[in-house]
Amino acid sequence: MPPVDRKAAADRPVLGRFPRPARLLGYAALLGFALLYLLPFLLQLANSFKTDPDAAAHPMTLLPDGGTLASYRRLFGLAEGVENVPFLGWLGNSVLVTVLITAGRVLFDSMAGYALARLRFPGRRALFAFVLAVMAVPGVVLLIPKFLVLKSFGMFDSYAGMVLPLLVDAAGVFIMKQFFESVPREVEEAARIDGAGTFRIFWSVVLPMARPALITLTVLSFQSSWNEFTHFLVSTQSSEHDTLTTGLAHFVAGGLGSGSQYPLKLAAALVSTLPVALLFFLFQRHFVRGANSGSSKG
């Protein structure tokens, strides 16, 4: 009897361990769930090309009755004779704050994670416990304290108030700490023998090795800051600081005329989700690898 390759059996997909009929049934179930998951997005796409009466009368049909680009023209300020949506202003604000927040989180979370993983200082364990405790606090609990702090420091209704409180994220610190702990200490010791200091080791030796974790942190930070709503709601007041999330909320609440305006609202929501979807699909392989790197190297 030939020997069993345990590693190959462990690496084999779960469905591949079942008989062919069971695998086909499993694939059919997965396909059904995938189509069910995609249905709302397909309805959103179809209704964005409909007219207002068509969308109100037939919201569940996937084929528009004589499709139109009127919603997208109005969205990007190309329509005439109607009030256009300040969508490009919302988009510019979202891009600005998202890029700043993402860059800040990648830098500061990496530095904090490395300090908690490698440096020895009094209170390190207590500080890490505090980071874990912050992760357990619901964000809605901090809304009023955030508002009071921003008002006290004169940062309310400003880009500084939108960006600075979100530059560090407890979950990002935790992810980077777990990854840095999986890096062999021999690599750092060799660099230290060559005369490299702590920051040089972190920046030139350890950080390039953390590419999977950095990509994971970048994707998560971009997604969370792009979709952030409650913080921007309590940190801004004027419409010039509206992002896609707050602008769409005001729009859905009836801020731009009466009527359902389903095609226009769905077109705006569809365009606002594209950057996050594209980013995830482009870096999906690295994202999954980074999420599993701590357990695979532990």
Side-chain angles (χ1 to χ4, degrees):
M1 185 175 183
V4 178
D5 190 345
R6 297 181 180 275
K7 185 177 185 302
D11 294 338
R12 188 185 308 164
V14 175
L15 289 177
R17 305 172 189 174
F18 293 93
R20 183 177 178 84
R23 293 203 305 268
L24 294 178
L25 183 62
Y27 288 132
L30 291 176
L31 180 61
F33 281 116
L35 293 177
L36 184 64
Y37 181 80
L38 288 175
L39 181 60
F41 298 98
L42 296 177
L43 290 173
Q44 182 184 41
L45 177 63
N47 281 280
S48 67
F49 290 101
K50 296 178 182 179
T51 61
D52 284 349
D54 186 22
H58 309 96
M60 300 300 294
T61 58
L62 293 177
L63 295 177
D65 185 13
T68 175
L69 295 174
S71 297
Y72 291 95
R73 292 195 187 97
R74 185 178 175 189
L75 199 65
F76 291 100
L78 302 176
E80 298 180 357
V82 294
E83 183 183 3
N84 289 313
V85 181
F87 185 81
L88 294 179
W90 302 344
L91 180 62
N93 287 335
S94 288
V95 170
L96 175 63
V97 298
T98 299
V99 169
L100 293 176
I101 292 172
T102 302
R105 284 186 178 181
V106 170
L107 175 62
F108 297 128
D109 289 356
S110 300
M111 296 174 66
Y114 183 77
L116 291 173
R118 286 293 191 258
L119 303 184
R120 296 294 181 264
F121 55 89
R124 182 175 65 92
R125 294 182 181 274
L127 182 59
F128 182 60
F130 176 75
V131 172
L132 296 179
V134 170
M135 294 174 59
V137 176
V140 67
V141 177
L142 303 176
L143 291 183
I144 295 178
K146 281 184 179 180
F147 172 77
L148 296 176
V149 169
L150 292 175
K151 288 286 287 185
S152 300
F153 283 91
M155 294 190 299
F156 179 72
D157 201 23
S158 67
Y159 289 110
M162 298 171 67
V163 173
L164 290 181
L166 301 180
L167 285 181
V168 179
D169 176 58
V173 174
F174 176 79
I175 291 173
M176 297 308 299
K177 176 185 181 296
Q178 296 302 106
F179 184 89
F180 287 137
E181 287 184 342
S182 68
V183 176
R185 291 182 179 270
E186 292 78 7
V187 177
E188 301 171 67
E189 293 173 357
R192 189 170 287 109
I193 292 175
D194 291 337
T198 301
F199 185 79
R200 181 66 181 273
I201 294 174
F202 162 74
W203 188 260
S204 301
V205 179
V206 180
L207 198 61
M209 299 175 62
R211 182 182 177 187
L214 290 175
I215 292 177
T216 301
L217 179 59
T218 300
V219 174
L220 292 177
S221 299
F222 185 94
Q223 181 185 30
S224 62
S225 55
W226 184 269
N227 295 327
E228 180 63 42
F229 173 71
T230 54
H231 172 71
F232 296 151
L233 188 65
V234 301
S235 62
T236 61
Q237 184 178 25
S238 60
S239 58
E240 66 182 65
H241 293 110
D242 275 343
T243 60
L244 286 173
T245 52
T246 55
L248 287 175
H250 296 153
F251 181 27
V252 171
L256 288 173
S258 58
S260 62
Q261 302 185 85
Y262 289 141
L264 185 59
K265 295 175 182 177
L266 291 175
L270 178 64
V271 175
S272 66
T273 59
L274 288 180
V276 176
L278 291 176
L279 183 71
F280 180 80
F281 283 119
L282 287 175
F283 295 99
Q284 181 180 11
R285 178 168 57 91
H286 302 281
F287 177 80
V288 175
R289 182 187 304 170
N292 295 330
S293 58
S295 58
S296 62
K297 294 184 180 181

